[in-house]
Amino acid sequence: MKLIMSCLLILGFTCTCLGKVDLKATKRLIIPKDTVTPKITKADVAKVIPLDLKEGDSQGTVISRIADRGFSLWFNSKMMKETALGRFAEQTQEKLKTDVVVPAKDSQGVSHKFSFRVEAFQALAKVEYSGWLKAAFNYDAKASATDIIVKEKFRNKDLFVTHKANKSEDLSMVGVAWSW
């Protein structure tokens, strides 16, 4: 048996090949470029990975922020907005927006406008007021955080007071901003 196998191997390597290839007439192999598979860039990663992580953040906090940002990016993508679920979410968000305007009694009076926004899929509630001054109240249910901003325009300056509160801290600021 070994003898037969040895003979076949020797004959296989010593025989001339019957098939001939003319290298000059052979066409160049062109490998198509993959334009279907999406490429992930550093900018895409930066949209998902939060860059403002604190040293003391727990693993659960980091994972939930990454998952939240990834889900938001996916849900706000053009592809997702064209689905039935995406259209339903857009319609729901639009129904949760209301503006109330109280017109001035005369031409020199002040008109008051209240804007109420509930962004259920992002767990945000927003109330804005414009009239005697500008004010905004924002509540983020996921972060248990509240922002209050009050602005008053005085000539070319904006005077403002802000207050931010969350589970771990309260921060109040008074400031002046101007343009020239």
Side-chain angles (χ1 to χ4, degrees), residues 3-17:
L3 180 64
I4 295 173
M5 290 299 282
S6 301
C7 290
L8 288 175
L9 282 174
I10 292 171
L11 285 175
F13 286 116
T14 57
C15 293
T16 58
C17 183

Side-chain angles (χ1 to χ4, degrees), residues 75-76 80-81 83-96 118 120-121:
F75 201 76
N76 291 326
M80 186 58 191
K81 286 187 176 186
T83 65
L85 178 63
R87 288 190 299 272
F88 173 74
E90 286 290 323
Q91 290 171 353
T92 304
Q93 294 284 59
E94 286 301 315
K95 289 178 183 176
L96 294 173
V118 176
F121 296 101

Side-chain angles (χ1 to χ4, degrees), residues 75-121:
F75 201 76
N76 291 326
S77 68
K78 182 180 176 186
M79 175 190 71
M80 186 58 191
K81 286 187 176 186
E82 292 174 355
T83 65
L85 178 63
R87 288 190 299 272
F88 173 74
E90 286 290 323
Q91 290 171 353
T92 304
Q93 294 284 59
E94 286 301 315
K95 289 178 183 176
L96 294 173
K97 295 179 181 178
T98 304
D99 291 336
V100 176
V101 177
V102 179
K105 291 184 180 180
D106 55 22
S107 62
Q108 295 177 349
V110 177
S111 154
H112 305 280
K113 179 180 178 184
F114 296 90
S115 296
F116 301 96
R117 308 273 188 264
V118 176
E119 297 177 8
F121 296 101

Side-chain angles (χ1 to χ4, degrees), residues 108-179:
Q108 295 177 349
V110 177
S111 154
H112 305 280
K113 179 180 178 184
F114 296 90
S115 296
F116 301 96
R117 308 273 188 264
V118 176
E119 297 177 8
F121 296 101
Q122 297 172 3
L124 296 172
K126 300 179 179 185
V127 178
E128 294 177 355
Y129 166 77
S130 62
W132 290 308
L133 49 89
K134 291 189 178 196
F137 172 81
N138 300 322
Y139 177 69
D140 184 350
K142 286 186 286 188
S144 297
T146 304
D147 285 339
I148 300 171
I149 302 168
V150 178
K151 281 187 195 179
E152 175 64 34
K153 191 146 195 77
F154 182 71
R155 295 186 187 156
N156 65 342
K157 296 171 189 69
D158 286 329
L159 306 171
F160 62 89
V161 176
T162 65
H163 180 75
K164 297 181 181 197
N166 60 29
K167 296 183 262 190
S168 60
E169 65 182 0
D170 290 336
L171 177 65
S172 297
M173 295 185 295
V174 176
V176 177
W178 64 89
S179 58

